[in-house]
Amino acid sequence: MLPWVPMTHTSHQLTLADIANHLGIAFSGNTQQPIRGLATLKDAQPDQVAFLANRAYLKDLATTQAAAVLLHPEHGKHCPVPRLEIDNPYLGYAQLSQLFDPLPARDIVGIHPTAVVAEDAQLGADVCIQAHAVIEAGAVLGDRAVIGAGSVVGADSIIGEATRLHANVTVCHGVVVGKRAILQSGCVIGGDGFGFAHDGAGWHKIAQLGGVVLGDDVEVGSCSSIDRGALGDTVIGNDVKIDSQVQIAHNVTIGDHSALAGCVGIAGSTKVGKHCMLGGGAGLSGHLTICDGVQVTGMSLVTNSIHTPGIYSSGTGAMANTQWRKNAVRFKQLDDIAKRLARLEKKQRD
Amino acid sequence: MLPWVPMTHTSHQLTLADIANHLGIAFSGNTQQPIRGLATLKDAQPDQVAFLANRAYLKDLATTQAAAVLLHPEHGKHCPVPRLEIDNPYLGYAQLSQLFDPLPARDIVGIHPTAVVAEDAQLGADVCIQAHAVIEAGAVLGDRAVIGAGSVVGADSIIGEATRLHANVTVCHGVVVGKRAILQSGCVIGGDGFGFAHDGAGWHKIAQLGGVVLGDDVEVGSCSSIDRGALGDTVIGNDVKIDSQVQIAHNVTIGDHSALAGCVGIAGSTKVGKHCMLGGGAGLSGHLTICDGVQVTGMSLVTNSIHTPGIYSSGTGAMANTQWRKNAVRFKQLDDIAKRLARLEKKQRD
Amino acid sequence: MLPWVPMTHTSHQLTLADIANHLGIAFSGNTQQPIRGLATLKDAQPDQVAFLANRAYLKDLATTQAAAVLLHPEHGKHCPVPRLEIDNPYLGYAQLSQLFDPLPARDIVGIHPTAVVAEDAQLGADVCIQAHAVIEAGAVLGDRAVIGAGSVVGADSIIGEATRLHANVTVCHGVVVGKRAILQSGCVIGGDGFGFAHDGAGWHKIAQLGGVVLGDDVEVGSCSSIDRGALGDTVIGNDVKIDSQVQIAHNVTIGDHSALAGCVGIAGSTKVGKHCMLGGGAGLSGHLTICDGVQVTGMSLVTNSIHTPGIYSSGTGAMANTQWRKNAVRFKQLDDIAKRLARLEKKQRD
């Protein structure tokens, strides 16, 4: 059995030179300035790096106290402090953010004494299995996989290398998770899909015999659920990002690089293309095909397949309740209104 | 204490004869053909059984490679391979699917050494309590109950015979779960209902003194929550099927054989009848009565009681955003439009 | 290490005198009548106290069997049994309900032998850490905190005094929870916010470096998730009540005393004021400001900031599907209808 020993972390203080090197940017200024973190232009202290990625915050640039600012060259001349010029400052911010994440430094190589690991589980090099985690029979963990406290990896499931399950994650049996995936706490991968046959009186369960396959670099948010397939698998492509409280039903397919915001629900067997973006609370009916490059705005209901890339919406935004009541009641008369209008038009023409 | 020993499973290879016998169907053909699983007509290999339950897939029948096909007698003559004729092929598929579920074969009779079982808990025969599960004081498990890894059964709760809690399920205190129920990972049965009294300045919690009663043959999906009652119980009838990410508030009642798709939310004290079907993301306000046999389509909002069986809907489907914007802005003018139309009609008549 | 011993509870039988004293109400009648619980006017037995807080139930007063009724003085004369007169009977009911909650009597002072507590965790007086709970490095528990079975308190997180985590709760690293908070089972506080930068081909994760701060007297429902901030914190004010299945994205701020019903979703960086009430399934877009005293009705979509207190709504209620279909299709013609009406009006004027 592997030991349970903290990894040695030389948590050396980062300097501005480290920051610039990490981004591959030439930098002139006080390269030895210690940097303890990142902040917005407005909040940044003299030992923090800020960034300008959205013109709405340009107003905060002139007065920033940051040690340096990550920004597009076009804004360089307005920057009162040392600058880190980069074409995509938001991407630069993402890359820097990894340097300051405290979590990896907490990781430990080994198996906590309270973890339960099946004898026939296969563990890669330098895995971290935390307190009360359970690795069931036949499961496989890739190198450097991290299994958080209380998480369960079901029988015969495969967790890719450098993938992290936070605490209290459930990966059911027969699930494949790719490399460098991140599963947030409380999510469930591979619960049974919702399949029942009716005999005229009641329901008979259809055993869900498929699995779930998550690609590489997938993220699944807190308390989200991805159900296992009825016969074939539910398939989530590479680099798909799924927010919290999302429900993905059995046999859904999501194409690479798509992003699903919080509370999205996708019914069974629907296929979502690549590079799609589904807004918070959007709902997709079952058995649809959504082509690549589709964006659906928040809380929209999609009941038909979409074959043309673009932005799609439904619903109406909130208004004052008294105003809303008057309009909402008219919605029930809409067909009647349309018919009466047509009659008037006809009379007019006669 | 019970031992922790794998059950002996003679995982004998199934044959077509086994399949036909399981369904009680006469079958002529190679009854000794080994069958390793089920598949769609299109994907089936020569050692798999397929089924035709939906006319949309009739096109795949002629070219199927399946060992045999489960279908209605009316389609028998078009079947190029041995056939298993049955009036309700989808029901037959459900019945066969149970034969191929790998999960029951993994069950073990006994209590894992890391499980924590209160001294006064009552355990039926042949229960399976997996790693790190917790059975609190006064809880009762029926015969053959399976408690998954990391699941918690709260004080004084009762789990019916042959009921399965998957991993990381929480059944809070004072909850009754019937027989043959299936609780998927991450679901919570008996969390507090949302009850507070306002004193003019802030909130005072109302202790939720009721429980939850789940009938027999109930299924609850991943990450769903069923809250305990304020005074009386929240009651879920027999054979009610609840999908993932569903929220059922305190003192709701759901009649037998109803089915709730993913992301449904039902507010407090609403009564849903028998044989109802609620589409994904549908929302029901509190204190309503929904009669038997009601279907609500996906993402509809029900704010009034329903006294007539039938299908109910609200909302509008997604359309291209540019088109939607023009229409959505008119929604806010709908009352005005209706009034102007009435004025025109009046003028016309004058 | 603390012992693991049940607290001594003299679960003395409550009497009507105890009830009246708890509410600070003068009471004449059989003060020694034993009271075993609370019930509605209709269901109450002679050893239960009932309450009248809603005129809709006034009809049940005349025939109630309750030992006594909590009601407003104006209804006193109609009460056939001893009465407990109080200005806010619903508040009185809330206060009494606490007396009958069986859960606190179950609490035990100490650390269950299977719990894992980091050596450098700081534990207040009389904490209760239940089976298989995990307290990670640097975490701090206030006096009388209760950590339920299987719950995880992440590194460096702080749990306030008298706060209760039910079973299988996850508090991630670097989270602050105030005093007397209640976290229901399955909720996740401090999962990563949904932040990614796009490089033109795919996504780069933005490490979520902020935390979550929950105020005092906060309640979070089952399976709800509150994501950690990207740079600054996600902040939930004092006395905020959050129901089940709610999603709160990174850097959201919720003002004191607000209440969020089940299935609400709030996108990133939105600020909700004090004393707001969001109905079930309501959705708020990101980067909005909602002023104090706003109510949003169930399943409404808020896409713009709100600067005036009041009630806001969107959507339309469900109707029979056949009727709905005819109206919903007209929604797509609404702009056209409005234009045609304007043309008719113009002709009329000409």
Side-chain angles (χ1 to χ4, degrees):
Chain A
M1 186 180 275
L2 290 171
W4 178 252
V5 289
M7 297 181 68
T8 310
H9 284 279
T10 43
S11 69
H12 73 283
Q13 178 76 55
L14 291 167
T15 63
L16 263 180
D18 296 326
I19 301 288
N21 285 341
H22 186 72
L23 297 173
I25 293 178
F27 176 77
S28 62
N30 179 6
T31 55
Q32 294 317 301
Q33 166 70 43
I35 298 298
R36 72 172 165 92
L38 306 178
T40 60
L41 285 168
K42 198 173 172 183
D43 292 340
Q45 300 295 310
D47 56 357
Q48 292 178 302
V49 168
F51 62 97
L52 174 61
N54 181 333
R55 271 166 198 280
Y57 296 99
L58 188 52
K59 59 179 171 42
D60 296 330
L61 182 58
T63 55
T64 190
Q65 304 290 315
V69 176
L70 201 64
L71 40 52
H72 191 274
E74 71 173 310
H75 297 119
K77 63 177 177 292
H78 304 299
C79 185
V81 297
R83 53 192 193 262
L84 294 155
E85 294 187 350
I86 189 170
D87 280 349
N88 186 342
Y90 199 60
L91 178 59
Y93 156 50
Q95 291 166 332
L96 287 186
S97 71
Q98 299 297 333
L99 297 178
F100 297 99
D101 187 356
L103 211 55
R106 294 281 192 184
D107 291 339
I108 281 172
V109 166
I111 303 174
H112 192 277
T114 62
V116 174
V117 180
E119 281 187 18
D120 66 348
Q122 298 176 44
L123 307 185
D126 295 338
V127 298
C128 169
I129 305 181
Q130 298 180 353
H132 295 315
V134 177
I135 313 296
E136 295 188 344
V140 178
L141 305 190
D143 297 349
R144 300 182 307 287
V146 177
I147 309 299
S151 286
V152 176
V153 177
D156 297 327
S157 283
I158 300 171
I159 306 296
E161 67 178 51
T163 279
R164 178 186 296 269
L165 277 60
H166 283 264
N168 284 333
V169 165
T170 308
V171 172
C172 301
H173 67 281
V175 167
V176 177
V177 179
K179 300 173 183 174
R180 300 173 301 277
I182 300 175
L183 306 188
Q184 302 289 339
S185 293
C187 74
V188 176
I189 315 297
D192 280 349
F194 197 61
F196 303 91
H198 205 277
D199 68 2
W203 300 106
H204 294 250
K205 182 174 176 71
I206 297 172
Q208 302 291 299
L209 304 176
V212 177
V213 177
L214 301 188
D216 295 336
D217 301 298
V218 166
E219 180 154 346
V220 180
S222 303
C223 303
S224 286
S225 49
I226 303 179
D227 295 345
R228 66 192 313 113
L231 288 172
D233 294 328
T234 302
V235 179
I236 310 298
N238 294 321
D239 195 33
V240 170
K241 306 302 185 185
I242 298 173
D243 198 355
S244 306
Q245 302 283 347
V246 169
Q247 155 64 359
I248 298 182
H250 50 183
N251 297 101
V252 163
T253 300
I254 311 276
D256 297 349
H257 312 296
S258 286
L260 284 61
C263 307
V264 159
I266 305 183
S269 300
T270 281
K271 295 182 192 311
V272 174
K274 298 177 181 177
H275 297 287
C276 289
M277 296 177 70
L278 306 183
L284 276 58
S285 299
H287 299 275
L288 305 183
T289 299
I290 308 298
C291 69
D292 296 350
V294 166
Q295 293 182 35
V296 177
T297 60
M299 289 179 74
S300 294
L301 168 63
V302 180
T303 56
N304 291 298
S305 291
I306 297 178
H307 304 295
T308 308
I311 307 177
Y312 294 81
S313 304
S314 75
T316 55
M319 61 191 99
N321 180 266
T322 45
Q323 182 193 358
W324 169 80
R325 280 173 175 275
K326 287 189 284 190
N327 291 310
V329 72
R330 298 296 190 183
F331 181 79
K332 302 194 176 186
Q333 307 164 0
L334 205 46
D335 184 49
D336 182 57
I337 286 171
K339 286 176 176 162
R340 285 158 51 201
L341 177 61
R343 278 196 295 269
L344 272 191
E345 287 173 326
K346 185 165 183 302
K347 273 193 185 170
Q348 191 80 36
R349 283 193 302 272
D350 292 345
Chain B
M1 186 178 276
L2 291 171
W4 179 252
V5 289
M7 296 181 70
T8 310
H9 284 278
T10 43
S11 69
H12 72 284
Q13 180 75 53
L14 291 167
T15 63
L16 263 180
D18 297 326
I19 300 287
N21 285 342
H22 187 72
L23 296 173
I25 292 178
F27 177 76
S28 60
N30 178 6
T31 55
Q32 294 315 303
Q33 166 70 43
I35 298 298
R36 73 173 164 90
L38 306 178
T40 61
L41 285 168
K42 199 173 173 183
D43 293 340
Q45 300 295 311
D47 56 357
Q48 292 178 303
V49 168
F51 61 97
L52 173 62
N54 182 333
R55 272 166 197 281
Y57 296 99
L58 190 53
K59 60 178 169 41
D60 296 331
L61 182 59
T63 56
T64 190
Q65 303 289 313
V69 176
L70 201 63
L71 40 53
H72 191 274
E74 70 173 310
H75 296 119
K77 62 176 178 292
H78 305 297
C79 186
V81 297
R83 54 193 193 261
L84 294 155
E85 294 187 351
I86 190 170
D87 280 349
N88 186 341
Y90 199 60
L91 178 59
Y93 156 50
Q95 291 166 333
L96 288 187
S97 71
Q98 299 297 334
L99 297 179
F100 297 98
D101 187 355
L103 211 55
R106 293 282 191 186
D107 291 339
I108 281 172
V109 166
I111 303 174
H112 192 277
T114 62
V116 173
V117 180
E119 282 187 17
D120 65 348
Q122 297 176 45
L123 307 185
D126 296 338
V127 299
C128 169
I129 305 181
Q130 299 181 353
H132 296 314
V134 177
I135 313 296
E136 295 188 343
V140 178
L141 304 190
D143 297 348
R144 300 183 306 287
V146 177
I147 310 299
S151 286
V152 176
V153 177
D156 297 328
S157 283
I158 299 172
I159 306 296
E161 68 178 50
T163 280
R164 178 186 296 270
L165 277 61
H166 283 264
N168 284 332
V169 165
T170 307
V171 171
C172 301
H173 68 282
V175 167
V176 177
V177 180
K179 299 173 183 175
R180 299 174 302 277
I182 301 175
L183 307 187
Q184 302 289 338
S185 292
C187 74
V188 176
I189 314 298
D192 280 349
F194 196 61
F196 304 92
H198 205 277
D199 68 2
W203 300 105
H204 294 252
K205 181 176 177 68
I206 297 172
Q208 302 291 298
L209 304 176
V212 177
V213 177
L214 301 188
D216 296 336
D217 302 299
V218 166
E219 181 155 345
V220 180
S222 302
C223 302
S224 287
S225 48
I226 303 178
D227 295 345
R228 66 190 314 112
L231 288 172
D233 296 327
T234 303
V235 180
I236 309 298
N238 294 320
D239 195 33
V240 170
K241 306 303 186 183
I242 298 172
D243 198 355
S244 306
Q245 303 282 346
V246 169
Q247 155 64 0
I248 298 182
H250 51 183
N251 298 102
V252 164
T253 299
I254 311 277
D256 297 348
H257 312 297
S258 286
L260 284 61
C263 307
V264 158
I266 305 182
S269 299
T270 281
K271 295 183 192 311
V272 175
K274 298 177 182 178
H275 296 287
C276 289
M277 297 177 70
L278 307 183
L284 277 57
S285 299
H287 299 276
L288 305 183
T289 298
I290 308 298
C291 70
D292 295 350
V294 166
Q295 294 182 35
V296 177
T297 60
M299 289 179 75
S300 294
L301 168 63
V302 179
T303 56
N304 291 298
S305 291
I306 297 179
H307 304 296
T308 308
I311 307 176
Y312 294 81
S313 304
S314 75
T316 54
M319 60 191 99
N321 180 267
T322 45
Q323 180 194 0
W324 170 80
R325 280 173 177 275
K326 286 189 287 191
N327 291 310
V329 71
R330 298 295 189 182
F331 181 79
K332 302 194 177 188
Q333 307 164 0
L334 205 45
D335 184 50
D336 182 58
I337 286 171
K339 285 176 176 161
R340 285 157 52 201
L341 177 62
R343 277 197 296 269
L344 272 190
E345 288 173 326
K346 184 167 185 302
K347 273 194 186 171
Q348 192 79 35
R349 281 193 303 273
D350 292 347
Chain C
M1 186 177 275
L2 290 172
W4 178 252
V5 288
M7 296 182 68
T8 309
H9 284 278
T10 43
S11 69
H12 72 284
Q13 179 75 55
L14 290 167
T15 64
L16 264 179
D18 296 326
I19 300 288
N21 285 342
H22 186 71
L23 296 173
I25 292 178
F27 176 77
S28 62
N30 178 6
T31 54
Q32 294 316 303
Q33 166 70 44
I35 298 297
R36 73 171 164 90
L38 305 178
T40 60
L41 286 168
K42 198 174 172 182
D43 293 341
Q45 300 296 310
D47 56 357
Q48 292 177 304
V49 168
F51 62 97
L52 173 61
N54 181 333
R55 270 165 197 281
Y57 296 99
L58 189 52
K59 61 177 167 44
D60 296 330
L61 183 58
T63 55
T64 190
Q65 304 289 314
V69 176
L70 202 63
L71 40 53
H72 191 273
E74 70 173 310
H75 296 119
K77 62 176 177 291
H78 305 298
C79 187
V81 297
R83 52 192 194 260
L84 294 155
E85 294 187 351
I86 190 170
D87 280 349
N88 185 341
Y90 198 60
L91 179 59
Y93 156 50
Q95 291 165 332
L96 287 186
S97 71
Q98 299 297 333
L99 296 179
F100 297 98
D101 187 355
L103 212 55
R106 294 281 192 185
D107 291 339
I108 281 172
V109 166
I111 302 174
H112 192 277
T114 63
V116 174
V117 180
E119 281 186 19
D120 66 348
Q122 297 177 44
L123 307 185
D126 295 337
V127 299
C128 169
I129 305 180
Q130 298 181 354
H132 296 314
V134 177
I135 313 296
E136 296 188 344
V140 178
L141 305 190
D143 297 349
R144 300 182 307 286
V146 177
I147 309 299
S151 286
V152 176
V153 177
D156 298 327
S157 283
I158 299 172
I159 307 296
E161 67 177 50
T163 280
R164 178 187 296 268
L165 276 61
H166 283 264
N168 284 332
V169 165
T170 309
V171 171
C172 301
H173 68 283
V175 167
V176 177
V177 179
K179 299 173 183 174
R180 299 173 303 277
I182 300 175
L183 307 187
Q184 302 289 339
S185 293
C187 74
V188 176
I189 315 297
D192 281 350
F194 198 60
F196 303 91
H198 205 276
D199 68 2
W203 300 106
H204 294 250
K205 182 174 176 70
I206 296 172
Q208 301 292 298
L209 304 176
V212 177
V213 177
L214 301 188
D216 295 336
D217 301 298
V218 166
E219 181 154 344
V220 180
S222 302
C223 302
S224 286
S225 48
I226 303 178
D227 295 346
R228 66 190 316 112
L231 289 171
D233 295 328
T234 303
V235 179
I236 310 298
N238 294 321
D239 195 32
V240 170
K241 306 302 185 184
I242 298 173
D243 198 357
S244 306
Q245 302 282 347
V246 169
Q247 155 65 358
I248 298 182
H250 51 182
N251 298 102
V252 164
T253 299
I254 312 277
D256 296 349
H257 312 296
S258 286
L260 284 62
C263 307
V264 158
I266 306 183
S269 299
T270 281
K271 294 184 193 310
V272 175
K274 297 178 182 177
H275 296 288
C276 289
M277 295 178 71
L278 307 183
L284 276 58
S285 299
H287 299 274
L288 305 183
T289 298
I290 308 298
C291 71
D292 295 351
V294 166
Q295 293 182 36
V296 177
T297 60
M299 290 180 73
S300 294
L301 167 63
V302 179
T303 56
N304 291 298
S305 290
I306 297 178
H307 305 295
T308 307
I311 307 176
Y312 294 82
S313 304
S314 75
T316 54
M319 61 192 99
N321 180 267
T322 45
Q323 181 193 0
W324 170 80
R325 280 173 177 275
K326 287 189 287 191
N327 291 311
V329 72
R330 298 297 190 182
F331 181 79
K332 302 195 177 187
Q333 307 165 0
L334 205 46
D335 184 49
D336 182 58
I337 286 170
K339 286 175 176 162
R340 285 157 53 200
L341 177 63
R343 277 197 296 270
L344 272 190
E345 287 172 327
K346 184 166 185 301
K347 273 193 186 170
Q348 191 80 33
R349 281 193 303 272
D350 290 346

